[in-house]
């Protein structure tokens, strides 16, 4: 499994472990028709940074970085914040397990101002939180 998929799977598993009550609804990259808030919709973007500490002596990239964009969606602002708090509890400072990799603790990079979204009919509040997971190959 690639670093991208392995990092995404590890982070999604942490969110899916939140059984509430109620269980946290976790969506990977799309919202199926008929799903109503609250839920967290997650997108991932990965990179192999060119930092000096990310290269081995042979010059190849070692460090892998994944950013997770968690769209914390609720029927109102309070509900969106509750979803964001659950995401924070699942991810912040947690060191996930990724086969063949040594991971650093997950860090929060930023939050984006909540926005009202009425594209699906009923109004919902979308609060975006950005987290980062980095790893290097295990020896």
């Amino acid at each position: 499994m690639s670093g991208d998929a392995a990092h995404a799977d590890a982070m999604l598993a942490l969110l899916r472990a939140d059984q509430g009550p109620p269980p946290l609804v976790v969506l990977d990259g799309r919202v199926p028709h008929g799903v109503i808030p609250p839920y967290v919709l997650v997108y991932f973007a990965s990179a192999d940074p060119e930092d000096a500490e990310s290269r081995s002596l042979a010059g190849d990239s070692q460090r892998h970085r994944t950013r997770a964009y968690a769209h914390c969606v609720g029927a109102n602002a309070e509900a969106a914040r509750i979803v964001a708090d659950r995401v924070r509890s699942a991810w912040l400072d947690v060191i996930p397990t990724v086969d063949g990799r040594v991971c650093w603790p997950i860090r929060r990079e930023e939050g984006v101002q909540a926005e009202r979204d009425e594209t699906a009919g009923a109004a919902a509040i979308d609060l975006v939180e950005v987290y980062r997971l980095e790893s290097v190959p295990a020896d």
Side-chain angles (χ1 to χ4, degrees), residues 115-128:
E115 292 187 14
R116 184 178 178 93
D117 181 359
E118 297 180 15
T119 57
I125 301 297
D126 181 4
L127 176 64
V128 182

Side-chain angles (χ1 to χ4, degrees), residues 4 7-9 11-12 28 42-46 66-69 91:
D4 294 350
H7 279 203
D9 287 349
M11 294 185 79
L12 289 168
D28 181 8
V42 186
Y43 295 97
F44 294 94
S46 298
T66 296
R67 284 189 177 82
Y69 298 82
W91 282 347

Side-chain angles (χ1 to χ4, degrees), residues 9-32:
D9 287 349
M11 294 185 79
L12 289 168
L14 290 170
L15 290 176
R16 290 180 176 136
D18 180 343
Q19 291 300 301
L24 183 60
V25 176
V26 179
L27 305 173
D28 181 8
R30 75 174 192 77
V31 179

